Amino acid sequence: MAYASLMDYYGLQFQMELHFRDAKQHWGLEDFMNVTPAGVTNAANLSLFMVNVAYRLRADVHPRDPDYSVLDLKADCRGYKYVEETIKMLPEKPKPILLAKILNQVAGLGRIHASQPSFGFS
């Protein structure tokens, strides 16, 4: 086999291993307790889909925040969801400028890296 082809194949294999590691570590592939073929297929597809979504969202943030990680992304999503659910309980919705400030500050609470997010997950 030619050297270039061999390097391409090993590169693809390594990329697949990283995707499966991310699916297991960050998106719960190892936590699914499925025993049926359809359940296993759905769990694997969902986890690998989330790996792709996370890479895409991180690519948007990476130019301005190179340290942004999957854990930061998950913390941002979780923080935005908590704020949205809390705002729903208020008798009166805050003004948009205050709402944006609250969303950015609370979403950043669980992040590993300190910079604030500048996008929403609604």
Side-chain angles (χ1 to χ4, degrees):
M1 182 180 283
Y3 175 76
S5 297
L6 187 62
M7 290 301 293
D8 287 341
Y9 287 143
Y10 274 117
L12 291 172
Q13 179 185 358
F14 187 69
Q15 188 176 18
M16 287 172 50
E17 289 175 8
L18 288 177
H19 273 46
F20 275 104
R21 185 211 59 198
D22 286 350
K24 285 171 54 179
Q25 181 178 358
H26 298 297
W27 303 113
L29 183 60
E30 67 185 359
D31 297 332
F32 286 109
M33 300 305 250
N34 297 306
V35 292
T36 64
V40 171
T41 299
N42 290 340
N45 286 337
L46 178 61
S47 294
L48 292 170
F49 172 74
M50 288 306 300
V51 169
N52 290 333
V53 169
Y55 279 132
R56 179 63 183 104
L57 290 173
R58 285 179 55 214
D60 290 342
V61 179
H62 187 74
R64 68 177 179 278
D65 189 0
D67 293 330
Y68 194 76
S69 69
V70 173
L71 296 175
D72 294 327
L73 176 65
K74 288 173 69 174
D76 285 346
C77 292
R78 191 175 298 115
Y80 274 100
K81 184 64 176 172
Y82 291 163
V83 170
E84 287 175 351
E85 293 301 317
T86 303
I87 296 297
K88 287 179 188 177
M89 295 188 302
L90 295 176
E92 196 173 306
K93 196 172 182 178
K95 292 185 165 105
I97 190 80
L98 179 60
L99 183 59
K101 186 175 179 180
I102 292 169
L103 280 170
N104 281 333
Q105 185 145 359
V106 172
L109 289 177
R111 288 190 59 186
I112 304 297
H113 302 98
S115 66
Q116 290 295 322
S118 62
F119 54 90
F121 294 103
S122 297

